[in-house]
Amino acid sequence: MARAIPTNRYAIQLAIFIAFELFLIHQGFLFGYDIGVISGCLIMPDFIRRFGEIDGNGQPFLSSSRQSIITSLLSAGTFVGALAQAFTSDRFGRRGSILIWSGIFTVGVVIQTATEFSIVQITIGRFIAGLGVGALSAIVPLYNGETAPKALRGTLLVLYQLQIIIGLFLSYVFDLATHHLNNSASWRIPVGLQLLWGLIMLSGIFFLPESPRHLLGTGRREEARKVIAQLNGVPEDDGLVQESMEELEYGIRAENEGGKATWAECFSTRNNLWKRTGNGMMLQFIQQLNGQNFYYYYGDTFFQSAGTELNPYVIQVILGAVSVVGTIPALYLIETWGRRRSLLTGALLEAACSIIAGLVGHFTLAPVGTPKSQLTPRNRAGGDTLIAFAVLHVFSFSIFWGPTPWVYLGESFPLRVRPKSIALGSATNWLWNFLLSFFAPRIAADIGPLILLIFFGMLLFGYGYVYLFIPETKGLSLEEVDEMYRAKIKPWNSASWTPHLTEEAHKNAHVNEVHEVEEKRASQE
């Protein structure tokens, strides 16, 4: 059968469009636009006046408990949304599910923007927006993993992460541009801009194709053929399309032998699903306790106490720019170094930054609330050192632990349980994000920079876990990843493992093609 040379041009254009569309909506992400916006809002005078409390001197202030509630309610919503999307992804398809949860996110933003003085209203709005954010956080790696060619899958998932980081950076820029305003526009403008992103997302979703794996899984074979041809930039009757169809159908038949998937199956021994789901959940857990979100969430207030001469909004813009620059090398490293090496390297680099920043901060910074006029040169040098290692920490995270767990989550599960397993991984991310955002300001209030030693310990644990349990999935199709787990390949040997599923599928396809030719010849005779 004749084959054209695949260009992947459409796949790249599609991935850029998806990344752009989901970058807009995922600026509601804790590591996207909303995390940057709320970090800046927490120290805006008008925001404090409207949603804070009054101290003994009649001055408004935002206590650590209120900071926790305002910040963490989005995370609580994301936990629920990440699990709920598993029902909509199978019932309405990947594309329809994105549409539904984008609408829910937009409603949450409307509620937040319309808030006057009610902390209850703004937290409810953040919870509803979080439902959409959490659901989309699971659907995006699911959708990208099922539409991207295997040679580009990691790069395209990192591209999505890059767009989110750009959203984070822009949120800092908008906070810097509006924080000087003396009215509600200081925080309503950056928060309300998410409405524009949501409307663009809702209109653009109609141009996205459905996942070919979902189409085949629901019996829509001709639609799947058309999408595969578009993704590879070849005609529908090309041999490459037929081979891709046969590979997918071969894997889907093997997956569906056990009947309808349940939540319990995600932890079953069948095809090592318990190990795969556990790995996805553990990587998300470790990612959230890397320490970077502490800087994103509470960087403004934390750096204020460090006594630096830099405006805290400027520091956040610097952190955002560093995140953008750091994610760019990941586009290359994810497919050259691979998943395992990226995670192992990142764990060591971030651990070094955490322990140095934590110890330097503990032994050199002045107590919180010390007037700047009373800070010693040692205090100021300590603050500058802490900020420098915070920048290095965020840079390392952006290269390695920022995108890689999401790449791994999107490519580790068979079709029958993929929405549910990815939902569990995403829900784990948001559960620990909620716990971190709720308890971090309280812990930091008690032990100060020593909170970074907690992240140091978690990063060392993460290094050991990745080495012992996380296999290399670079360059494998989703069906070949399934084969690797079924073969029980040791993670430290996985980089050199060669799959056989593709060869078997093509061999069967060739045999069938020979039989068809022989039958046709016999009928003509």
Side-chain angles (χ1 to χ4, degrees), residues 62 80 145 259 269 282 349 412 428 431:
L62 204 57
V80 177
T269 57
M282 282 300 297
L349 290 176
S412 296
T428 301
L431 172 63

Side-chain angles (χ1 to χ4, degrees), residues 1-4 225 237-243 246 513 516:
M1 185 178 291
R3 291 180 52 171
R225 179 186 295 276
D237 59 355
D238 187 74
L240 175 63
V241 176
Q242 184 60 31
E243 287 184 6
E246 288 162 354
E513 186 175 341
E516 290 176 2

